[in-house]
Amino acid sequence: MAIIVEKYGGTSVGSIERITAVADKVARSHEAGDQMVVVVSAMSGETNRLLGLANEIDPEASARENDVLVSTGEQVTIALLCMALHKIGQKAKSYTGGQAMILTDTAHGRARIRSIDNSRMMKDLNDGNIIVVAGFQGTDEEGNITTLGRGGSDTTAVALAAALKAGECRIYTDVDGVYTADPRIVPDARRLDKITFEEMLELSSLGTKVLQIRSVEFAGKYRVPLRVLSSFEEGPGTLISYEEDAQMESAVISGIAHNTDEAKLTITGVPDHPGVAHQILGGISAQNINIDMIIQNVGEDDTTDFTFTVPRTDFEAARRTLERVSNELGARGVRGDDAIAKVSVCGVGMRSHTGVADTMFGALAEEGINIQMISTSEIKISVVIDDKYTELAVRALHKAFELDKA
Ligand code: ADP
Ligand code: ASP
Ligand code: MG
């Protein structure tokens, strides 16, 4: 008898009908002999609705209260799913993050899981219960409710799978696996049977929302057997593989990722002397704002321009800080643009191939798409473009790298 952790995302529990369907599916697995732990998200749209309510009162509302508010979405779903399971004769018990003893740090809105005490859950599982856990939430040492960042239910599921030494963690969503690009943008994107852990980590970090980046990190650390599947139809889904040679399809590029959640800031005319990068970026980091891509150019007049990207939600705060730093440094000024997209090509096969950048830039040029920033690593190339060209760029790149062909 294996412990199986299954996670159902927002659309998969988006209505009473869907919740009933999930209950049936989980009950079947339970009856087949597995011990079932189910992690659920809030019903689709609910987290955004709750965030909207807070925003109506105060866009800068207390982070602690914000977490108390948004965590209620998942609490609704755990209760409804347990009721649906009871109705069909199953023993089931709901757990909030705190009740599941998911201990996090205190970073409200982006908390990290520190530890999970599985003793209560193990007892209930061994008593024959199906365990239903609220995703996306935990509590800190003081008992405050925390949340794990958007998409955080994936991380709850993988962390629970690690803590319970589960045989498999299944992420059920509204697509039937991980594709070569977002199938909602590229109709001929292909589902991958397997993807290497490394590639999945890269795609998630580049904005592919099908798995939250933290969940992939967790999976790698504890070698959690992880699969992405559809809750709407049967199928094998996509297996995240830890084998070094799992890149079965020997493709140079395994996927195209896009991300429209970032914004770009530029500080111009900065006197060019040692320490300015530290002064500029240090001020932003001190506010816990993550900086992603950075470029610096030195002009002929011995001043330098500095451009970097930050999460769009932190754009205004970052701009205010940068304006202060600009005055301190005697720089020329600050420019901001939050209508950008980051589009990336990714694949471990890039390591041993040349010409990927050339193909990428050529495909974008052919569509008349201007590249604003570039960053590369061993297994990816990312560009920042105007966000109105996101879909065009993703489709053009998918075609240029022939990802529609098996
Ligand atoms: P859930 O609510 O189940 O957590 P998400 O919306 O977070 O679902 O993630 C699933 C979505 O991820 C899909 O509907 C799809 O549009 C998007 N997506 C983006 N890139 C990919 C990709 N390469 N493969 C599969 N899905 C992708
Ligand atoms: N409900 C949360 C969100 O919408 C967490 C999740 O669905 O994973 O981000
Ligand atoms: Mg998600």
Side-chain angles (χ1 to χ4, degrees), residues 193-207:
D193 286 328
K194 272 189 186 182
I195 184 165
T196 66
F197 159 72
E198 221 183 338
E199 285 169 331
M200 194 64 242
L201 192 66
E202 196 70 49
L203 284 178
S204 291
S205 80
L206 294 169

Side-chain angles (χ1 to χ4, degrees), residues 41-42 47 74 136 150-153:
S41 289
T47 307
E74 273 69 11
F136 174 58
R150 298 308 303 267
S153 299

Side-chain angles (χ1 to χ4, degrees), residues 264-267 292-297 304-309 372-375:
K264 187 178 78 168
L265 283 161
T266 303
I267 175 167
D292 182 20
M293 288 163 87
I294 304 172
I295 49 173
Q296 185 189 5
N297 289 318
T304 165
D305 290 353
F306 222 91
T307 303
F308 56 93
T309 62
Q372 303 175 8
M373 295 172 87
I374 301 172
S375 98

Side-chain angles (χ1 to χ4, degrees), residues 278-295:
H278 176 63
Q279 235 172 314
I280 293 167
L281 301 178
I284 308 282
S285 301
Q287 289 186 287
N288 271 327
I289 296 175
N290 280 327
I291 295 159
D292 182 20
M293 288 163 87
I294 304 172
I295 49 173

Side-chain angles (χ1 to χ4, degrees), residues 53-101:
L53 292 177
N55 200 44
E56 275 182 46
I57 292 183
D58 180 3
E60 320 248 300
S62 141
R64 180 185 186 279
E65 302 316 324
N66 221 46
D67 275 355
V68 173
L69 178 71
V70 290
S71 61
T72 61
E74 273 69 11
Q75 197 169 327
V76 169
T77 326
I78 53 171
L80 292 174
L81 180 56
C82 279
M83 291 171 188
L85 285 163
H86 295 162
K87 190 88 189 283
I88 54 173
Q90 299 291 324
K91 269 176 85 175
K93 203 164 158 185
S94 67
Y95 278 80
T96 63
Q99 289 169 332
M101 297 199 277

